[in-house]
Amino acid sequence: MTGSRRGRHFLQIPGPTNVPDRVLRALSRPTIDHRGPEFAAIAREVLDGLQRIFNTTGPVVIYPSSGTGAWEAALVNTLSPGDRILMFETGHFATLWRHMAARLGVEVSFVPGDWRRGVDPDIVEATLTGDRDRAIKAVAIVHNETSTGVASRVAEVRRRIDSAGHPALLMVDTISSLASMEFRHDEWGVDVSIGCSQKGLMLPPGLGLNAISDKALAASKAARLPRSYWDWQAMIDDNAAGFFPYTPATNLLYGLRESLRMLLEEGLEHVFARHDRHAEAARRAVRAWGLELVCVRPDEYSSSLTAVMMPDGHDADALRNAILDRFDLSLGTGLGRFKGKVFRIGHLGDLNDLMIAGTLSGVEMGLAASRVPFKPGGVTAALEYLSGAS
């Protein structure tokens, strides 16, 4: 593209997502004393609001960190050196979490996968049933794999753990599903939920989250992996009065308070329905183009993003670069084994019908301009769905 750009940039990666104007204004407030009464009131409102987002009555802790930091907090607060954890290769981020666990001194039983399916509940049950010595201390899964657009069936995994009669903790990465897809920490029997700020919560990066069950808190009393910065108990103790054991990300908490207000004003059921709607519009466009979704099971479709396979002989990153250059639209890159083979359409966070329609128009124009073999009409199929004509 030559000359200066006009109009708005379309940020349609699966995080960081668009930050709404209300949140941007909240972030720009003057910083206040994080040991004073005004801040304590803000902190309590934020912590209470996060309980509603996670659907839990238990504690939620907030770290100045990325989601990766929240992964580490989940592991070091619950496990000891040499403990075994059951993990599943559902995509790039599940694989990174596995590597972290191994570096921390945890023994990982890693179930291989093709990155096109979620966690197999049958394997969960069979593995835990065979673990007669109860060596497996935790099962860790990614609810919505950001690299693939595949959502694992968390409630079914918990049912299979219970069916096996196994005491393992259930840890769930909700990083790209929280506040975008239905998630029920308490009802689904999750022990540690991991989240972050820059996706469904519509904030810049910088906050890592853990929602914690009573069972996980009890496990933390005996866990022996080293922890200091990530210690839950120090956070929970200070949070009771609205404070933190070290300096919090004050202005991000201003923004979080505003984003929580926006989500609760809309109503979580409506938030999820909106994400479902935009995801279905994207999938209809992909099918009409004659392209292939990464996710192969309809009951595992993500409502946060749609990952699309490129036709053989065509490079996904070349397409993404062309779309960015010509139409000022950013799409997600393929990661790990999908590098150059997949592009990802993010449709989570602060998004409406016209924004997803514009995004899909940019993709269709980019496919044509890049001479990628496809069938025109994807945008039409999406518009018919969004307008109720199909």
Side-chain angles (χ1 to χ4, degrees):
M1 175 178 285
T2 57
S4 60
R5 296 180 186 272
R6 294 289 182 263
R8 57 152 288 185
H9 172 66
F10 272 67
L11 180 67
Q12 301 305 143
I13 62 175
T17 61
N18 300 289
V19 179
D21 289 342
R22 278 178 59 178
V23 174
L24 288 171
R25 289 193 294 270
L27 291 167
S28 69
R29 287 189 56 212
T31 302
I32 60 173
D33 176 13
H34 62 283
R35 304 293 183 193
E38 182 183 356
F39 178 82
I42 293 170
R44 286 309 324 164
E45 180 179 346
V46 163
L47 291 164
D48 291 346
L50 284 172
Q51 286 180 311
R52 297 175 67 181
I53 299 298
F54 277 106
N55 275 294
T56 184
T57 59
V60 178
V61 298
I62 308 171
Y63 295 102
S65 79
S66 66
T68 305
W71 277 351
E72 183 161 335
L75 295 170
V76 300
N77 277 283
T78 57
L79 300 175
S80 297
D83 279 353
R84 189 187 302 175
I85 187 169
L86 178 62
M87 307 179 92
F88 292 79
E89 188 189 9
T90 52
H92 180 70
F93 292 99
T95 304
L96 290 179
W97 198 8
R98 173 259 185 110
H99 291 324
M100 172 186 282
R103 288 196 298 270
L104 290 170
V106 176
E107 182 180 333
V108 181
S109 295
F110 196 54
V111 178
D114 62 2
W115 291 33
R116 304 192 68 178
R117 295 166 178 82
V119 173
D120 186 337
D122 290 340
I123 295 177
V124 173
E125 184 172 3
T127 303
L128 295 182
T129 299
D131 181 32
R132 302 191 186 281
D133 295 333
R134 301 298 189 252
I136 296 172
K137 303 304 181 184
V139 177
I141 68 174
V142 176
H143 181 204
N144 186 76
E145 176 54 69
T146 316
S147 65
T148 66
V150 177
S152 289
R153 293 160 281 158
V154 177
E156 180 62 21
V157 170
R158 166 46 73 187
R159 283 193 289 270
R160 299 306 189 89
I161 294 172
D162 293 344
S163 180
H166 200 286
L169 297 170
L170 175 59
M171 301 183 190
V172 180
D173 172 332
T174 73
I175 286 172
S176 63
S177 60
L178 188 69
S180 303
M181 298 166 59
E182 184 179 33
F183 183 78
R184 298 183 175 275
H185 176 92
D186 286 359
E187 183 180 327
W188 292 354
V190 180
D191 293 299
V192 188
S193 296
I194 294 98
C196 69
S197 55
Q198 73 267 23
K199 297 182 187 283
L201 291 176
M202 305 178 291
L203 288 160
L207 299 178
L209 312 171
N210 279 172
I212 307 160
S213 74
D214 289 343
K215 183 178 174 181
L217 270 179
S220 72
K221 307 302 182 186
R224 292 183 291 103
L225 283 177
R227 61 185 187 266
S228 174
Y229 183 86
W230 304 115
D231 184 40
W232 284 341
Q233 197 59 56
M235 294 288 274
I236 292 169
D237 290 345
D238 280 16
N239 284 172
F243 300 113
F244 291 77
Y246 40 77
T247 307
T250 308
N251 287 59
L252 282 173
L253 294 179
Y254 294 160
L256 178 56
R257 178 175 63 168
E258 195 63 33
S259 71
L260 292 171
R261 287 175 175 177
M262 292 175 67
L263 290 165
L264 296 173
E265 286 168 9
E266 184 176 358
L268 288 179
E269 289 186 2
H270 295 287
V271 172
F272 301 148
R274 172 168 55 83
H275 282 76
D276 292 345
R277 172 184 175 80
H278 294 154
E280 178 60 23
R283 290 191 294 267
R284 291 190 182 210
V286 173
R287 293 190 192 102
W289 290 327
L291 300 179
E292 185 179 356
L293 297 167
V294 170
C295 184
V296 297
R297 289 183 58 120
D299 61 349
E300 294 180 341
Y301 285 157
S302 168
S303 291
S304 297
L305 70 136
T306 299
V308 185
M309 303 288 291
M310 286 291 285
D312 289 343
H314 293 268
D315 183 77
D317 287 336
L319 172 67
R320 289 176 51 256
N321 290 336
I323 290 173
L324 176 62
D325 183 60
R326 294 194 58 169
F327 307 117
D328 204 13
L329 165 63
S330 291
L331 299 172
T333 186
L335 298 169
R337 70 169 65 174
F338 283 158
K339 182 69 175 173
K341 300 177 181 178
V342 165
F343 66 90
R344 296 173 296 149
I345 303 169
H347 36 71
L348 71 163
D350 189 38
L351 201 70
N352 61 29
D353 286 6
L354 284 178
M355 292 166 72
I356 189 63
T359 298
L360 296 173
S361 295
V363 176
E364 185 157 332
M365 289 189 293
L367 290 167
S370 300
R371 302 187 183 278
V372 175
F374 79 105
K375 300 174 184 176
V379 173
T380 299
L383 295 180
E384 288 176 349
Y385 170 72
L386 291 170
S387 65
S390 63

